[in-house]
Amino acid sequence: MRYETVVHRMPEDLKKLISSQTWCASYMKDGVSLSDLLTDRKYLIRLLSHLSVDEKNTLRLILAAFGCESFTREALEKQAGLRMAGAQVAIGLLGLRRTGVIAAFRKAWGEQLFVLPEDAFASWQELLFPSVQLATVEDESALALLPAGAIHVSGDEQDAAPVHPRGLAQQLFHFLAACSQQLSLPLTNKGTLHKKQLAKLTQHISLPNDLLRSSGITYAFRDQYDDGTVLMLELAIRMGFLTGNGEQLFFKKKACMNWLEGAYERQQAQLYSVWRQLLLPAPVWLQHGITWMEKTEAGQWYGIDDILRGILACCSRGAQANEAESLRQAFLNSWILPLSLFRFVELAADANGGVWFRWLFSPGGEDEFGASRASSVESQAKAPSFYVQPDFEILLLPDAGLRTEWDIAAFADLQQTDHVRTYCLTKESFYRAWEQGQSSEEIIRILQEKAYYEVPEPVIQTMRQWGEQAGKVHIEEVTLLRCRSNEIADALLRNEKCQPFLKERVGGADFIVPKDQLSQLAKCLENMGYNPKSSRKEADDPAAESDNFLGNQTQGLCYSRDSIQLYEMDSELPEQGDLYPDMESIPVSWLQDFRSYHGSTRKDMIRKAIEWKSCLQLRKEGQSRVIIPRILREERSGWILEGLEEHKEIALSGDDWEEMKLILPGINDEGVYK
């Protein structure tokens, strides 16, 4: 979930409360949006300076224990462990809600959930945790490149998984090209594509079968689709290339063309954004790893072990060796391996078995690396991109753009997909393009404009012959307007508004009408007093051919991990006093001054502190200490207070302090904590 969604669903009273706070009031008057205030680092720096100690510690705990995953207050208190009292966590959480940093939701049965929206995670990570020192490699000769899809683990290189050398964008391209060449993409009664058609669409897809499962992604129709098929469909749907109405899928050519116009690195970066979103909210350790990786510079080598050390520093205290190794395996298999398979990153190993990575594009947006490649797109589009062989083979070089390849795929059949893609121009592929409206001269022009050398003359002559043969006889779908008599047909021709739509008269009383002008003709006929009726059982849905088709948007197959968006936002904000019920029943002196109390009163104060999950401040010989009480244990020799002090478990008897005071976080704790 992102702050834009949170702000949209936020109650107006809470918006006003946040907007009136000192740290952001001036920005709001200047027109800065609330979602920008809660995500942009420059605004969060100011907010951080206004947070209390409890609020800072609670936010740090949330980032360390949950990240952007939803959590309950009880789970947060449990994670606090030796670090904070329950009342400190509750006060900190309440303050973070008042500033808008944390959003609260309620399930139907009343359980309360909290969440830190994902688009602020990177900024808060940078502000609240030590920066990760990432080693870089200046001498690339010290590294040995690993095959795409191979992982170097514990000195042993695993077998490389199926992978396309150009990456995910190339595989999605082949999938989309196959979709565009189908007359329709009907769905079965269960809502899946037919197996025969699916085989045509995915024949050039090469991805591991357990790719999604190993990354923690689940999806519908597991008995019908494999992971590679689901990923192609999910990407196409989320990118807006496929949509549907429950009965069939529609290919959205305009959206696809917009994507194809970009540089290959940009196309890969867009698919990375979709893949990243499929995994969010990820386990907290993975969120930290993803965020630190995304802050690195594209094209530069970095050590994965440095990322892992940073994760361990944030997400655990004193991790054991087996925990570190388990984390390494999970990080490599669920995150690094897919990035390598998709050619988002390149991997290498050093002499000690360490794994290194470098981005093949900028994951955080355009930089010098990505911008320089994007700036050459226009020149590449005009530059030669392939060779045309005398045997009708077309060889696309590695730097040939997908937009150019789309033109080739329209009239040639793919033979081999690699860094160099091989297509073959056949009579069948030529007729397929001709049926889509491409003429032989148009195909020849495309080849001549983009080929490195002159197109062989026999290839040109053969295509012109195919064009002549195709033009002699063809089947065309038309609409026939039938009139009851020749007189009615003559009357229609005499009407100035109706006549332009009647292109060809068949016999004495019928006309051939262009399909795209049928609705306009129908209006003219109605104005003339006729009521035209179609004999077709099902009228074609023009939305299927429209690039603006909205209909019932097809839902993706992958189940969302962001389940909190299904719940209603909680509009109730408790007051600090609500955390301490019946506070008026205790003496005010317990909260105000250090005093030496009788043993029974001391016990009452300890029990009340335990009940409210608050703290005690003890003093002896002028030295004070803050204790989080956990248990008051009665023994024959007396009673013992067990609790926490500075993240350590302690046990105290009544003789270990002289004076004491009850500390209620948010009420009388100012100056108590460092």
Side-chain angles (χ1 to χ4, degrees), residues 81-228:
L82 306 178
R83 310 178 202 181
M84 302 173 65
Q88 290 177 290
V89 172
I91 287 294
L93 187 58
L94 178 58
L96 294 174
R97 287 189 61 193
R98 289 180 177 275
T99 59
V101 173
I102 298 298
F105 295 81
R106 280 199 184 274
K107 293 184 177 180
W109 53 91
E111 183 182 11
Q112 196 174 33
L113 292 175
F114 304 93
V115 69
L116 171 71
E118 63 192 56
D119 43 347
F121 183 88
S123 295
W124 283 123
Q125 182 200 62
E126 186 175 351
L127 293 173
L128 295 174
F129 292 95
S131 60
V132 177
Q133 299 300 318
L134 298 177
T136 58
V137 172
E138 299 298 334
D139 183 11
E140 294 186 13
S141 62
L143 299 178
L145 285 176
L146 294 174
I151 290 291
H152 207 73
V153 181
S154 303
D156 298 323
E157 185 178 315
Q158 295 181 349
D159 294 335
V163 62
H164 193 287
R166 278 175 56 83
L168 188 59
Q170 184 68 52
Q171 297 208 61
L172 180 60
F173 169 88
H174 293 315
F175 178 78
L176 295 174
C179 288
S180 70
Q181 293 170 8
Q182 302 298 309
L183 295 177
S184 64
L185 298 171
L187 300 174
T188 66
N189 292 334
K190 294 183 179 180
T192 62
L193 290 167
H194 294 269
K195 289 186 176 180
K196 288 186 178 180
Q197 191 168 52
L198 196 59
K200 295 179 181 179
L201 300 180
T202 60
Q203 60 179 321
H204 299 296
I205 306 305
S206 177
L207 290 169
N209 288 331
D210 59 349
L211 173 66
L212 300 183
R213 189 186 309 110
S214 63
S215 297
I217 298 173
T218 56
Y219 57 85
F221 307 120
R222 289 200 63 88
D223 58 335
Q224 300 291 324
Y225 295 145
D226 59 27
D227 284 16

Side-chain angles (χ1 to χ4, degrees), residues 25 76 115 121 162 185 188 203 261 318 360 428 523 528 593 639:
L76 184 60
V115 69
F121 183 88
L185 298 171
T188 66
Q203 60 179 321
E261 293 292 345
L360 298 176
E428 290 74 16
K523 291 181 180 179
M528 293 178 65
D593 304 307
W639 51 268

Side-chain angles (χ1 to χ4, degrees), residues 483-494 505 508-509 530:
C483 303
R484 181 175 296 178
S485 64
N486 294 350
E487 290 73 17
I488 295 177
D490 293 337
L492 296 182
L493 281 175
R494 290 193 296 268
R505 191 165 183 172
Y530 299 106

Side-chain angles (χ1 to χ4, degrees), residues 397-466:
L397 298 190
D399 60 351
L402 293 184
R403 181 64 182 86
T404 297
E405 187 171 355
W406 185 268
D407 291 338
I408 299 300
F411 55 77
D413 293 328
L414 180 64
Q415 302 296 306
Q416 182 177 354
T417 175
D418 208 314
H419 285 296
V420 175
R421 286 88 76 201
T422 303
Y423 285 81
C424 185
L425 183 59
T426 65
K427 193 171 186 178
E428 290 74 16
S429 65
F430 175 87
Y431 284 147
R432 181 185 69 224
W434 185 85
E435 290 175 353
Q436 296 296 321
Q438 279 191 304
S439 65
S440 58
E441 293 303 320
E442 185 177 355
I443 295 174
I444 292 171
R445 177 186 58 79
I446 292 174
L447 295 178
Q448 291 176 334
E449 286 182 353
K450 300 292 182 66
Y452 271 93
Y453 303 108
E454 290 186 5
V455 179
E457 189 61 29
V459 174
I460 295 177
Q461 292 178 357
T462 300
M463 281 192 291
R464 283 176 174 158
Q465 291 175 0
W466 288 344

